[in-house]
Amino acid sequence: MFSVHSDQQHQRYSPLYFLAALGAGGLTVSFFMWLMFWVPHPGRPVPVFEDLITVFVANTPLLSLSVIVAMTGIAFFAFLMTRLLFWNFRSLDQWKQTSAYQLLKNSNNETQLLAVPLTVAMALNVGFIIGLVFIPKLWSIIEYLFPLALIGFLATGFWALRLMGDFWGRILIQGGFDCSSNNSFSQLLPAFALSMVGVGLAAPAAMSHTTWVAGVSYVVSSFFIVSALLLTVIKLIIGLRAMMENGASEESAPSLWIVIPILTVTSITLIRQEHGIHVHFEGHALAVDTFTMLTRFFVMQVAFALFGWMVLHRFRYFSRFVSGPEHSAGSFTLVCPGVALVVMTQFLINKGFVAVNLVEKFGMVYWVLTAFALLLQAATIGLVLILNAKHFGKSPNTSFAPNQSL
């Protein structure tokens, strides 16, 4: 595992390094999308181990190859996420003993601590995927696991709310929020954390056959997703105002894309809730409603992608902080929008275009559109490998480099 070898490096640690683990978890989810939309799973909302075995028994070479690649990707990035998560927790404990931690606790950057419950919520989602893909007969006991999942996500959500309460309590009682340095969307990290908790809490609504479990899932996931959206709107306004007055922050420029994953997570939450309403509460949403919602969210993502690219390009961010010599833990924020667009594109194609018969499933147009998602997925994987090598490799020039590489 990783080790830290100087107090100076302790000082240079940042909670934003949890986003490295978050990105690896997101790529795990992106490979699960292959199984979700390509592998038949009759009678279940998600594919499980037995469905994957059926593919191999049916002797369909291309689909079998896709399943093998997807399972390999899921295993690799889940392992990478786990390793980064443990390294981060150990580094965070050491960093809390430094003066740098106290400075962060009394600044705008205190909200960076929300990266921790955000990543833990992703880890819970990844754990669920690992169980579905690699554990035989898990679905036979799934109803017993849903209440445990609700407890786990609620505990993570309360943790996030407590951290937010510390920040808002200090700011609203003592003041001291520096609006001039709020010239980015970095304050949206708490909203991202709440939305990640919300999407996890919504899973039982879509999958459970127990009415009370689905009902509780719907209510608590609604609280977190609505809170996330309210916070997003507020922080977007004050962040954009500060940028227009003082210019955007160079180092925090990747945060201009953080709305993209928030929208993806929100759309998946709404889809899960709609399915639960349909199964348990006689609410019958039309395919065109899902198509409309996904399309609108997707074009919003494209708009934010163009907006962020304009700023990142003018700062030469990629040539400086990705492939260049400059280091910033915030550069891992770039991974989340890539993953989010991959997942959103898969949902838009399969739950949107195919569902309303705009595109024939597995037809030529289908694969042309899917190729875009696959290329973006490959580019995001490349970005993760580059950033991990830069920040966690054996380099004397890194601002915070563990002794041991990934």
Side-chain angles (χ1 to χ4, degrees), residues 60-79:
T60 51
L62 289 178
L63 184 56
S64 297
L65 178 61
S66 299
V67 170
I68 292 172
V69 173
M71 293 178 72
T72 303
I74 288 169
F76 174 79
F77 285 106
F79 171 76

Side-chain angles (χ1 to χ4, degrees), residues 272-317:
R272 288 177 169 180
Q273 289 182 336
E274 286 178 0
H275 186 77
I277 290 175
H278 171 73
V279 172
H280 294 282
F281 307 110
E282 299 182 359
H284 304 288
L286 300 176
V288 69
D289 296 326
T290 302
F291 165 72
T292 301
M293 182 268 291
L294 288 172
T295 300
R296 288 173 178 171
F297 277 25
F298 181 76
V299 297
M300 287 172 63
Q301 289 177 315
V302 172
F304 274 101
L306 294 174
F307 171 68
W309 173 256
M310 174 191 65
V311 178
L312 289 165
H313 177 69
R314 295 196 176 206
F315 280 146
R316 298 185 298 108
Y317 189 90

Side-chain angles (χ1 to χ4, degrees), residues 4 6-15 17 91 94-104 399-400:
V4 182
S6 74
D7 183 67
Q8 184 181 22
Q9 287 181 332
H10 293 171
Q11 294 279 358
R12 291 173 177 173
Y13 176 78
S14 168
Y17 276 114
S91 299
Q94 296 168 337
W95 179 69
K96 283 183 176 180
Q97 309 306 315
T98 69
S99 59
Y101 174 70
Q102 297 304 322
L103 288 174
L104 178 134
S399 59
F400 184 80

Side-chain angles (χ1 to χ4, degrees), residues 216-351:
V216 171
S217 170
Y218 183 91
V219 172
V220 294
S221 63
S222 294
F223 169 79
F224 281 96
I225 209 69
V226 170
S227 298
L229 292 176
L230 288 174
L231 197 59
T232 298
V233 173
I234 294 170
K235 294 301 183 71
L236 276 175
I237 294 172
I238 62 175
L240 186 59
R241 181 189 180 280
M243 282 189 284
M244 294 180 70
E245 183 175 349
N246 303 292
S249 166
E250 292 185 59
E251 194 169 345
S252 300
S255 68
L256 300 182
W257 279 349
I258 201 171
V259 177
I260 296 174
I262 292 175
L263 290 174
T264 292
V265 169
T266 299
S267 67
I268 296 173
T269 302
L270 295 177
I271 289 173
R272 288 177 169 180
Q273 289 182 336
E274 286 178 0
H275 186 77
I277 290 175
H278 171 73
V279 172
H280 294 282
F281 307 110
E282 299 182 359
H284 304 288
L286 300 176
V288 69
D289 296 326
T290 302
F291 165 72
T292 301
M293 182 268 291
L294 288 172
T295 300
R296 288 173 178 171
F297 277 25
F298 181 76
V299 297
M300 287 172 63
Q301 289 177 315
V302 172
F304 274 101
L306 294 174
F307 171 68
W309 173 256
M310 174 191 65
V311 178
L312 289 165
H313 177 69
R314 295 196 176 206
F315 280 146
R316 298 185 298 108
Y317 189 90
F318 286 90
S319 61
R320 293 170 55 194
F321 292 94
V322 178
S323 59
E326 298 182 62
H327 287 71
S328 171
S331 59
F332 283 98
T333 309
L334 295 170
V335 178
C336 301
V339 170
L341 282 174
V342 170
V343 174
M344 188 66 163
T345 302
Q346 290 278 22
F347 268 91
L348 179 60
I349 294 169
N350 292 276
K351 292 291 187 179

Side-chain angles (χ1 to χ4, degrees), residues 68-270:
I68 292 172
V69 173
M71 293 178 72
T72 303
I74 288 169
F76 174 79
F77 285 106
F79 171 76
L80 181 60
M81 178 184 190
T82 303
R83 196 174 184 188
L84 285 166
L85 195 59
F86 279 108
W87 175 81
N88 267 290
F89 273 120
R90 188 168 70 247
S91 299
L92 180 64
D93 286 340
Q94 296 168 337
W95 179 69
K96 283 183 176 180
Q97 309 306 315
T98 69
S99 59
Y101 174 70
Q102 297 304 322
L103 288 174
L104 178 134
K105 285 282 290 182
N106 291 283
S107 69
N108 290 12
N109 291 334
E110 184 179 0
T111 53
Q112 290 182 5
L113 294 173
L114 270 295
V116 187
L118 165 63
T119 308
V120 170
M122 173 62 84
L124 293 175
N125 284 308
V126 168
F128 186 69
I129 288 174
I130 292 296
L132 292 176
V133 173
F134 294 104
I135 300 180
K137 297 183 179 180
L138 181 69
W139 198 255
S140 63
I141 61 169
I142 198 69
E143 290 297 333
Y144 299 100
L145 300 180
F146 285 137
L148 297 177
L150 287 174
I151 293 172
F153 279 108
L154 280 173
T156 306
F158 289 140
W159 178 15
L161 290 172
R162 182 176 62 82
L163 291 174
M164 289 176 58
D166 291 342
F167 174 76
W168 282 98
R170 175 176 63 83
I171 293 299
L172 295 179
I173 300 302
Q174 302 176 10
F177 186 79
D178 187 354
C179 293
S180 63
S181 65
N182 186 43
N183 51 341
S184 68
F185 289 157
S186 58
Q187 290 295 317
L188 285 174
L189 192 61
F192 191 10
L194 294 183
S195 65
M196 187 64 71
V197 171
V199 74
L201 286 170
M207 303 179 197
S208 178
H209 294 291
T210 305
T211 300
W212 75 265
V213 171
V216 171
S217 170
Y218 183 91
V219 172
V220 294
S221 63
S222 294
F223 169 79
F224 281 96
I225 209 69
V226 170
S227 298
L229 292 176
L230 288 174
L231 197 59
T232 298
V233 173
I234 294 170
K235 294 301 183 71
L236 276 175
I237 294 172
I238 62 175
L240 186 59
R241 181 189 180 280
M243 282 189 284
M244 294 180 70
E245 183 175 349
N246 303 292
S249 166
E250 292 185 59
E251 194 169 345
S252 300
S255 68
L256 300 182
W257 279 349
I258 201 171
V259 177
I260 296 174
I262 292 175
L263 290 174
T264 292
V265 169
T266 299
S267 67
I268 296 173
T269 302
L270 295 177

